[in-house]
């Protein structure tokens, strides 16, 4: 992929439409936006016959709800939304720490014309554009192998996970 592909997708998306990028942050706005994000994320994965992140992980949704309500993290919660004609067509759930953004999950509209407009790629490039505008110097886009991230120059690192248990606690996983 190249900037030419993204430029072409953005031109198609912008043709006859008002396109803008919005950043939602702050504790109350972020908490409300999270629920909208969850719905869009679930719809995206349901269209592929899969459950998505919050369905795939036991108690995943409740974990993230607890996470975003945690005092120290609530102020770091952000969403970068791609809005077309007043409708959120793509969204990214993020935490900010200094000059680093930790992108938790993306979501986008699916079906009909939306599938032909490169929303995933376009929203990722717009997310990077927003990060640069915020003075961000590092973006962590999460664990896992994603071909498009490698093609865009992303660097993969080896992650090791260990599971620890005790008779007193439930298991927990540490990744590093």
């Amino acid at each position: 992929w190249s900037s030419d592909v993204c430029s072409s997708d953005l031109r198609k998306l912008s043709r006859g439409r008002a396109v803008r990028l919005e950043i939602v942050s702050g504790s109350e706005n972020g908490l409300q936006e999270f629920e909208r994000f969850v719905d869009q994320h679930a719809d995206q994965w349901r269209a592929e016959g899969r459950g998505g992140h919050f369905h795939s992980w036991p108690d995943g949704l409740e974990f993230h709800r607890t996470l975003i309500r945690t005092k120290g993290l609530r102020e770091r919660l952000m969403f970068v939304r791609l809005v077309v004609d007043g409708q959120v067509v793509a969204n990214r759930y993020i935490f900010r720490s200094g000059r680093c953004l930790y992108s938790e999950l993306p979501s986008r509209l699916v079906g009909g014309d939306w599938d032909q407009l490169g929303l995933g790629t376009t929203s990722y490039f717009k997310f990077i554009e927003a990060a640069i505008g915020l003075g961000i110097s590092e973006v962590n886009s999460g664990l896992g192998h994603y071909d498009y991230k490698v093609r865009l120059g992303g660097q993969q690192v080896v992650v090791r996970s260990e599971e620890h248990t005790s008779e007193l606690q439930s298991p927990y996983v540490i990744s590093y």
Side-chain angles (χ1 to χ4, degrees):
W1 288 348
S2 69
S3 59
D4 293 340
V5 171
C6 183
S7 296
S8 172
D9 286 344
L10 186 56
R11 276 193 304 276
K12 283 191 288 187
L13 183 63
S14 299
R15 205 169 287 136
R17 299 179 182 97
V19 178
R20 70 180 185 277
L21 200 62
E22 294 179 349
I23 297 174
V24 176
S25 60
S27 39
E28 286 310 309
N29 292 336
L31 294 174
Q32 292 170 2
E33 187 60 27
F34 178 75
E35 297 303 326
R36 286 189 285 268
F37 172 86
V38 167
D39 290 342
Q40 188 177 62
H41 180 80
D43 290 345
Q44 175 186 348
W45 287 101
R46 199 173 307 123
E48 294 187 22
R50 297 164 63 189
H53 180 83
F54 302 111
H55 178 75
S56 298
W57 292 94
D59 300 319
L61 181 56
E62 205 47 50
F63 169 82
H64 282 274
R65 283 183 175 141
T66 301
L67 186 68
I68 66 172
R69 286 181 174 89
T70 303
K71 186 174 172 53
L73 293 176
R74 193 172 45 228
E75 290 77 26
R76 297 174 183 211
L77 177 64
M78 293 176 55
F79 292 88
V80 176
R81 308 185 318 179
L82 184 62
V83 180
V84 175
D85 290 337
Q87 181 178 18
V88 178
V89 300
N91 203 344
R92 193 163 291 267
Y93 163 38
I94 302 164
F95 287 99
R96 180 178 183 164
S97 180
R99 295 183 57 152
C100 184
L101 292 181
Y102 296 89
S103 177
E104 294 294 318
L105 295 166
S107 70
R108 63 182 172 82
L109 291 181
V110 292
D113 292 339
W114 298 119
D115 290 340
Q116 308 306 313
L117 294 171
L119 288 180
T121 307
T122 300
S123 66
Y124 189 74
F125 273 93
K126 296 303 276 180
F127 161 63
I128 298 299
E129 182 181 292
I132 292 168
L134 292 168
I136 298 299
S137 58
E138 183 179 339
V139 173
N140 181 321
S141 289
L143 298 176
H145 173 79
Y146 300 92
D147 288 334
Y148 76 94
K149 291 179 184 177
V150 173
R151 285 194 299 266
L152 293 171
Q155 184 179 31
Q156 292 190 150
V157 295
V158 176
V159 175
R160 183 174 150 191
S161 295
E162 298 178 5
E163 184 174 327
H164 298 268
T165 61
S166 79
E167 294 177 17
L168 302 174
Q169 301 181 44
S170 61
Y172 61 93
V173 175
I174 300 173
S175 294
Y176 58 93

